[in-house]
Amino acid sequence: MMHSKSIVELGTGLQTGEFSSVELTRHFLQRIERLDKDLNAFISTTPEQALAEAESADQAIKVGQAGPLTGIPIVQKDIFCTRGVKTSCGSKMLDNFISPYDATVVEKLKHAGVVSLGKANMDEFAMGSSNETSFYGPVHNPWDKGRVPGGSSGGSAAAVAARLAVAATGTDTGGSIRQPASFCGITGLKPTYGRISRFGMIAFASSLDQAGPMTRDAADAALMLQAMAGFDPKDSTCANQPVPVYSATLSDPLEGLKIGLPREYFGEGLDPAVAASVEAAIDHYKRLGAEVIDISLPNTGLAVPTYYVVAPAECSSNLSRFDGVRFGYRCQQPKDLEDLYKRSRGEGFGAEVKRRIMIGTYALSAGYYDAYYLKAQKTRHLISDDFKQAFETVDVIMGPTTPTPAFGLGEKVNDPVTMYLNDIYTIATNLAGLPGVSIPVEPVNGLPVGLQIIGNYFTEAKLLNVAHRFQQETEWHRLTPELESVASD
Amino acid sequence: MSLDHSDVKKIAHLARMALDESQVDAYAEDLSKILGLVEQLEAAETHAIEPMSHPLHMAQRLRVDEVTEKDCRDENQAIAPSVVNGLYLVPKVIE
């Protein structure tokens, strides 16, 4: 079936005329219509726009001007501004926000010829690890609808896993691409900080936020990253670094690759079944000629507490723009300006966003700045130095993406700290600004498990190569959840 | 550090965010737990460590001081809650 193919396979089908992009797009729109009722992966669909883009793609293919993404149906996380289309960021605050411009990522992917099916559900303002903080309701994990898909890019992950879109965009501030990729059994890449422009990507924590692709496999991720990456003068933190051809090195041999295993990532709190799956994958790399080295990242325990100062501090500052004056939600009949600010924000934001704004406001307030924010900036340095030292002896670092497979809906939502600790293995790479990818390994009791591969700065090509070599010889990334109505498909 | 009812109300005021009175205590409990987690940082020795504000230790890039944006006022104001003659309307500030 068309929906079970990768970007690479679909590209061949489009080029040879086996099917058109319009047919492909209709097929995916029908799948969304039929299957998303039970998943809630989409906040909005844009069928008319999608079909128009598909028609242009078919024209481009006909005249021989197609690239590898031309005519491929994807979904954009609803954090990316899309001109003329609602961009909610999963919040009541932006439920009425029709963006007047496109994010750079959206513009670049349009330029590459993709078809956008709509906007993916997400945790409100990307704050969450389960997609349960969305104003539009939780997303259900396609492997077990009673479980969470992970977050914050939960809709993107569920849509790709359920084959409601070929690929998706995501963003990762503390694990928001890698953790849902792990929970849903797909490939999710968080590039180096600054690799992809943040312009038009609604800001949560500006020194941590990074966009990335969420796909079936590493070969698809290479094509998506190729289109998304690159310098953008509109984002002052975007890196002015050359973009290599990511697909060119995918199949490079791994003989002599030095893999570091941080002992802190295999200790207390890790589900033994997850550990076994991850270790089996690492054994596979040994057979591919890699050398495994035990390493230590001694400040791992500081990552979650550091993050919960830095991220809320930056969020409290970034989210001050939502004031009920220029765009977004405004309360009814404000009695004065202060009332307008306070009630618009109080009514427009959900509980998790309020918690983080308050933690950040507190940490930055007079008398507390040194004790919290300055201290966290220093511990951030310690965490970053751990990686710097590790990469003097190893090429990549491997470990589990998450301590457990997907947990149940409602299981952790009332206990923020327990929820935060779930991100223990992903947060440190954001603090250091490093790239990381999660790929599916052997499932545990029918639930996907992710192997995380962390690389040095701007080594996305190496990460994709390491991921791809594993996927050339294993089938875990091809597993597809059985959705009830698939039989009639 | 434990926050009480009045601390939370003060922080919410600083953030210009209205909270339902009935939820203030629940926020106090949650925020105190989060601060409890954050307090683990106190044990870290950071005396000689420089604070890190940019993951790649890069300086902010500067650009030439010239106008590059086109005028998008009408488009931007089309999505505003209340606009008259190109001005954003808010409740009266000056008597």
Side-chain angles (χ1 to χ4, degrees):
Chain A
M1 287 310 299
M2 281 190 276
H3 59 260
S4 56
K5 293 183 193 303
S6 68
I7 296 178
V8 179
E9 291 160 351
L10 289 170
T12 310
L14 288 167
Q15 292 297 332
T16 58
E18 193 186 322
F19 43 80
S20 69
S21 176
V22 168
E23 286 167 334
L24 188 61
T25 302
R26 284 220 174 90
H27 180 73
F28 275 100
L29 288 169
Q30 283 161 7
R31 279 183 69 78
I32 296 166
E33 177 83 32
R34 205 169 62 241
L35 300 171
D36 196 44
K37 292 189 285 285
D38 295 337
L39 295 176
N40 199 28
F42 285 73
I43 288 175
S44 40
T45 51
T46 49
E48 282 173 26
Q49 187 192 315
L51 288 167
E53 286 169 347
E55 275 172 34
S56 318
D58 284 333
Q59 281 305 315
I61 293 164
K62 206 175 277 176
V63 299
Q65 287 178 343
L69 295 182
T70 303
I72 302 293
I74 69 156
V75 57
Q76 296 280 3
K77 184 177 182 180
D78 209 15
I79 199 168
F80 292 101
C81 285
T82 42
R83 187 184 168 94
V85 175
K86 178 166 106 170
T87 301
S88 74
C89 219
S91 182
K92 179 181 177 184
M93 182 60 87
L94 291 177
D95 184 50
N96 62 2
F97 179 65
I98 309 293
S99 174
Y101 68 101
D102 275 334
T104 296
V105 161
V106 171
E107 207 174 86
K108 277 173 166 277
L109 284 167
K110 273 187 186 171
H111 184 72
V114 302
V115 170
S116 177
L117 298 166
K119 307 294 291 286
N121 204 343
M122 56 180 285
D123 278 301
E124 184 179 8
F125 285 103
M127 297 174 201
S129 309
S130 67
N131 216 114
E132 292 170 291
T133 72
S134 170
F135 174 62
Y136 302 92
V139 175
H140 298 260
N141 190 314
W143 292 93
D144 176 348
K145 288 172 191 158
R147 292 176 190 268
V148 304
S152 66
S153 311
S156 298
V160 174
R163 311 293 188 240
L164 302 186
V166 187
T169 53
T171 61
D172 192 315
T173 304
S176 284
I177 286 175
R178 292 160 289 155
Q179 185 252 22
S182 170
F183 281 8
C184 290
I186 64 163
T187 299
L189 172 71
K190 174 234 176 280
T192 307
Y193 179 78
R195 178 69 294 180
I196 295 175
S197 169
R198 293 187 295 110
F199 179 77
M201 184 177 115
I202 296 168
F204 158 19
S206 304
S207 79
L208 304 165
D209 296 342
Q210 178 58 210
M214 302 178 76
T215 53
R216 265 187 47 159
D217 59 33
D220 282 3
L223 296 174
M224 285 285 285
L225 180 62
Q226 199 73 49
M228 295 165 78
F231 178 66
D232 178 12
K234 291 179 189 154
D235 170 6
S236 66
T237 59
C238 194
N240 199 352
Q241 290 268 340
V243 180
V245 179
Y246 295 109
S247 297
T249 48
L250 282 174
S251 301
D252 283 3
L254 299 184
E255 273 89 24
L257 179 82
K258 290 194 177 108
I259 300 173
L261 301 186
R263 64 184 72 106
E264 293 81 4
Y265 286 28
F266 291 88
E268 202 189 331
L270 175 61
D271 178 338
V274 170
S277 276
V278 167
E279 280 157 11
I282 291 163
D283 282 342
H284 196 101
Y285 278 104
K286 286 187 197 162
R287 291 196 290 278
L288 288 170
E291 182 192 344
V292 170
I293 300 165
D294 280 317
I295 59 165
S296 175
L297 300 170
N299 292 296
T300 296
L302 296 175
V304 174
T306 300
Y307 180 87
Y308 280 97
V309 176
V310 173
E314 294 183 10
C315 117
S316 73
S317 168
N318 272 324
L319 271 62
S320 62
R321 74 192 56 174
F322 302 105
D323 56 6
V325 175
R326 292 152 305 148
F327 54 87
Y329 179 80
R330 173 182 280 200
C331 67
Q332 296 289 313
Q333 290 160 343
K335 64 178 179 0
D336 55 32
L337 188 58
E338 186 169 299
D339 186 47
L340 184 155
Y341 290 150
K342 284 186 169 176
R343 280 201 295 122
S344 297
R345 290 164 62 77
E347 293 164 18
F349 291 136
E352 181 60 18
V353 172
K354 286 193 184 117
R355 281 193 281 267
R356 299 209 194 179
I357 288 176
M358 287 194 280
I359 288 290
T361 302
Y362 179 69
L364 293 174
S365 62
Y368 295 102
Y369 181 89
D370 284 6
Y372 289 105
Y373 193 64
L374 195 67
K375 180 79 183 181
Q377 283 188 307
K378 290 178 177 181
T379 50
R380 184 176 184 180
H381 212 150
L382 292 174
I383 293 159
S384 177
D385 282 348
D386 280 359
F387 284 104
K388 197 174 165 190
Q389 205 169 351
F391 283 120
E392 282 171 13
T393 49
V394 302
D395 301 311
V396 294
I397 292 171
M398 286 190 190
T401 308
T402 59
T404 65
F407 47 86
L409 282 159
E411 202 178 304
K412 298 189 181 183
V413 71
N414 295 319
D415 184 354
V417 171
T418 308
M419 184 75 91
Y420 298 170
L421 290 171
N422 179 65
D423 295 333
I424 178 100
Y425 305 134
T426 48
I427 269 181
T429 52
N430 295 81
L431 291 167
L434 293 164
V437 64
S438 179
I439 59 169
V441 294
E442 186 175 358
V444 168
N445 298 326
L447 294 173
V449 172
L451 169 75
Q452 182 176 217
I453 314 167
I454 301 165
N456 211 339
Y457 299 107
F458 299 105
T459 58
E460 288 80 6
K462 175 53 73 184
L463 291 184
L464 291 168
N465 165 219
V466 173
H468 181 69
R469 288 291 292 118
F470 181 80
Q471 292 180 338
Q472 279 181 310
E473 302 194 3
T474 56
E475 296 290 321
W476 308 124
H477 62 289
R478 291 186 206 281
L479 297 178
T480 313
E482 275 180 41
L483 301 166
E484 281 157 61
S485 9
V486 158
S488 64
D489 206 44
Chain B
M1 184 76 197
S2 180
L3 299 177
D4 64 18
H5 191 97
S6 70
D7 294 327
V8 170
K9 290 187 78 161
K10 188 179 159 215
I11 297 166
H13 169 70
L14 288 174
R16 298 294 184 271
M17 203 159 60
L19 297 183
D20 273 356
E21 190 59 35
S22 65
Q23 291 170 357
V24 173
D25 287 333
Y27 279 114
E29 195 183 318
D30 286 343
L31 299 186
S32 299
K33 275 193 212 160
I34 299 168
L35 290 176
L37 172 78
V38 162
E39 262 146 38
Q40 294 172 20
L41 296 180
E42 282 170 19
E45 173 50 53
T46 53
H47 183 66
I49 308 296
E50 284 288 308
M52 172 173 166
S53 55
H54 189 293
L56 301 173
H57 307 283
M58 278 178 183
Q60 189 78 5
R61 193 177 63 245
L62 300 175
R63 63 166 173 82
V64 181
D65 184 18
E66 55 191 26
V67 178
T68 52
E69 297 285 299
K70 59 183 197 313
D71 180 4
C72 303
R73 188 175 78 169
D74 292 346
E75 252 177 315
N76 291 340
Q77 290 196 330
I79 52 169
S82 181
V83 167
V84 171
N85 298 331
L87 303 171
Y88 293 99
L89 288 198
V90 295
K92 199 168 171 184
V93 180
I94 303 162
E95 288 303 322

